[in-house]
Amino acid sequence: MREEIGTAVRLRKEGRLKESNGLLMELAKKHPDDAEIQYQVAWSFDVLGEEASAVPYYEAAIRAGLSGKDLEGAYLGLGSTYRTLGEYRKSHQVFCRGREEFPVSRALQVFHAMVLHNLGRHSEAMELLLINLADTTSDPDIRSYEKAIRFYADKLDRIWT
């Protein structure tokens, strides 16, 4: 089974997306409770642009006990997929759960910022992005303003008189 998963992942990397998806779907039928297979099927639907088809597989993978980087990836994939489908509240809930489990995940924070924007929570979205920018950039011009960026990150709507 693990060898077949490896083959499907290799096919995906080679751009043979439908073939990879077909192999993974067959594995999912044979092993419906395997979290890794469910996750890989979800991922395969995402790369095919079939986001709605990915949702039940992401959910099944999380329920089945996926762990580690794959669980982090499943939260990111499910949250992002819900966002692209316009399911902003569901997306927000998934990102909140994911960030509880992976509080230092930059990717979850940045993708969460996107859905916060979609929910009209622009200040929160900008704060998350600005803090991540200040924490991760190597650009010397931005680094020189790091203290100011951090100071203003949660004060974007404040008017100074």
Side-chain angles (χ1 to χ4, degrees), residues 35 94 142 145:
V94 169
I142 294 173
Y145 290 101

Side-chain angles (χ1 to χ4, degrees), residues 71-128:
L71 178 58
E72 181 182 348
Y75 280 126
L76 194 137
L78 180 58
S80 180
T81 297
Y82 275 141
R83 191 190 74 76
T84 63
L85 295 172
E87 298 278 352
Y88 302 136
R89 293 195 195 299
K90 287 181 182 178
S91 175
H92 174 64
Q93 291 170 346
V94 169
F95 283 123
C96 286
R97 282 196 326 253
R99 288 183 60 201
E100 284 175 14
E101 292 217 31
F102 301 95
V104 297
S105 171
R106 300 268 182 214
L108 284 170
Q109 292 174 37
V110 170
F111 277 81
H112 191 196
M114 290 182 209
V115 81
L116 287 170
H117 165 79
N118 294 124
L119 290 168
R121 295 165 64 174
H122 306 294
S123 293
E124 290 173 75
M126 282 296 297
E127 180 180 353
L128 263 178

